[in-house]
Amino acid sequence: MAEAAERDETEAARKAFAMFDRDGDGFVTAAEFHKAMAELGDVHYTESMAQAVLNTKDRNADGKLSFEEFLEAHRAAR
């Protein structure tokens, strides 16, 4: 049962990640995050704010989020 719930959670995170990963390269940049937030209705969200948020979850400090980093953040938000 727990295995199925984890699979469902991972699949939900993949769908959310795809909304942010606009170019499909497997990473979310501050520009992509900013654009997704604006489309979700947060028009006051700046790219600098997006970069600051990404930096808090970016474990390898490459300036973008991989799916694994995104999934970890998704799970921590539960």
Side-chain angles (χ1 to χ4, degrees):
M1 185 101 156
E3 211 174 284
E6 187 173 322
R7 244 190 337 266
D8 290 347
E9 179 186 29
T10 300
E11 184 57 31
R14 280 200 188 281
K15 288 178 183 176
F17 185 79
M19 272 183 26
F20 290 94
D21 181 18
R22 300 305 177 112
D23 62 7
D25 68 351
F27 298 96
V28 175
T29 65
E32 290 172 319
F33 192 82
H34 171 251
K35 185 171 182 169
M37 293 303 290
E39 288 177 2
L40 290 170
D42 195 342
V43 296
H44 302 293
Y45 207 87
T46 66
E47 194 166 327
S48 295
M49 290 168 70
Q51 188 63 60
V53 169
L54 292 185
N55 289 346
T56 66
K57 304 300 179 188
D58 181 15
R59 286 182 285 128
N60 65 356
D62 63 357
K64 54 193 175 185
L65 288 186
S66 65
F67 175 72
E68 290 77 20
E69 292 166 328
F70 185 88
L71 180 59
E72 185 177 293
H74 178 79
R75 287 182 173 154
R78 294 186 277 162

